[in-house]
Amino acid sequence: MLKFMNLTAQIKLIPSIEQAQKLLVTLRAFNSAANYAVGEAFRLGCTNKIELQKHVYRQVRDQFGLPADMTVRVIAQAVEALKRDKSILPVFRELAGIPYSHGKQYGFKGIDRVSMQVAPLGREVMPFVCGAYQKQQLKSQRGQADLVYRDGQFFLHVTIDFPDVEAKAVSDFIGLDLGIVNIASDSTGESFS
């Protein structure tokens, strides 16, 4: 069975002023909707996504102007937060990071642009920058990403899936003991000071 290892590549978004405003509106709408949904979940004692969706989906769509898939994400976030401790009403910060699913809510357009869903009901294509290592990693299978706002800048933390490399059998090795008097002593008996 093939297993996968996940890494996260951070890319810096370079939105225009108007796009930055739309991203801020999206963060605020998502987190406000999450606070509403988790409040209802807490009131109802509901930690099941499907059940909560039956109660709050339409209100979240109408009240916060979120697209359908983002509304489903809000409900999932609310349930996850409440499951951590059912005795405390969780609170989402106004500009807390929000999840995006690859393909539906975000997608790469070439090697330096990303298309992202924004509220209410829209998409924006914006440039991004990242290091050469991250750019190379983005060629692999991408999963969920988190939109993060920090110090006046927007970042997308993209989860990258890599197939695990099969471990090789090791037959030849050396042990090393780090010490105070001798910096190191190896398993062959040699000491280094």
Side-chain angles (χ1 to χ4, degrees):
M1 183 169 104
L2 190 60
K3 295 181 184 178
F4 285 92
M5 170 179 65
N6 294 327
L7 296 176
T8 301
Q10 176 178 280
I11 63 173
K12 181 179 175 184
L13 301 176
I14 312 293
S16 68
I17 293 170
E18 295 81 18
Q19 289 172 327
Q21 289 306 312
K22 288 179 182 181
L23 290 174
L24 288 171
V25 165
T26 303
L27 286 169
R28 287 185 177 108
F30 186 98
N31 288 307
S32 293
N35 280 323
Y36 169 77
V38 80
E40 288 298 298
F42 188 76
R43 183 180 67 77
L44 297 167
C46 178
T47 56
N48 180 292
K49 287 188 292 191
I50 305 302
E51 280 304 309
L52 184 60
Q53 189 167 323
K54 291 175 187 175
H55 291 284
V56 302
Y57 179 84
R58 182 49 46 204
Q59 294 90 335
V60 169
R61 289 284 318 264
D62 295 344
Q63 187 176 339
F64 301 97
L66 295 175
D69 49 339
M70 207 171 260
T71 298
V72 172
R73 285 288 205 162
V74 160
I75 294 165
Q77 287 283 101
V79 166
E80 286 176 31
L82 188 57
K83 279 183 178 179
R84 288 184 202 124
D85 186 348
K86 296 174 188 160
S87 67
I88 299 171
L89 175 62
V91 176
F92 291 86
R93 289 176 288 116
E94 178 184 32
L95 296 174
I98 62 174
Y100 274 77
S101 58
H102 184 256
K104 189 135 187 146
Q105 294 176 313
Y106 86 97
F108 290 94
K109 303 291 182 189
I111 61 169
D112 63 350
R113 295 196 158 339
V114 64
S115 172
M116 299 185 61
Q117 194 171 53
V118 294
L121 306 176
R123 289 191 83 78
E124 291 291 327
V125 176
M126 61 195 78
F128 69 86
V129 293
C130 63
Y133 176 77
Q134 287 82 1
K135 202 162 265 195
Q136 183 65 32
Q137 302 313 312
L138 290 174
K139 293 178 182 175
S140 297
Q141 179 64 37
R142 296 172 294 272
Q144 175 178 304
D146 292 320
L147 173 63
V148 176
Y149 182 68
R150 186 176 62 241
D151 300 325
Q153 299 179 54
F154 293 94
F155 298 90
L156 200 58
H157 294 182
V158 182
T159 303
I160 314 277
D161 297 328
F162 290 98
D164 260 349
V165 178
E166 192 173 313
K168 295 180 182 178
V170 178
S171 60
D172 193 24
F173 61 90
I174 188 167
L176 189 63
D177 182 26
L178 303 177
I180 296 172
V181 176
N182 290 319
I183 293 174
S185 297
D186 65 26
S187 57
T188 66
E190 190 173 353
S191 294
F192 305 90
S193 57

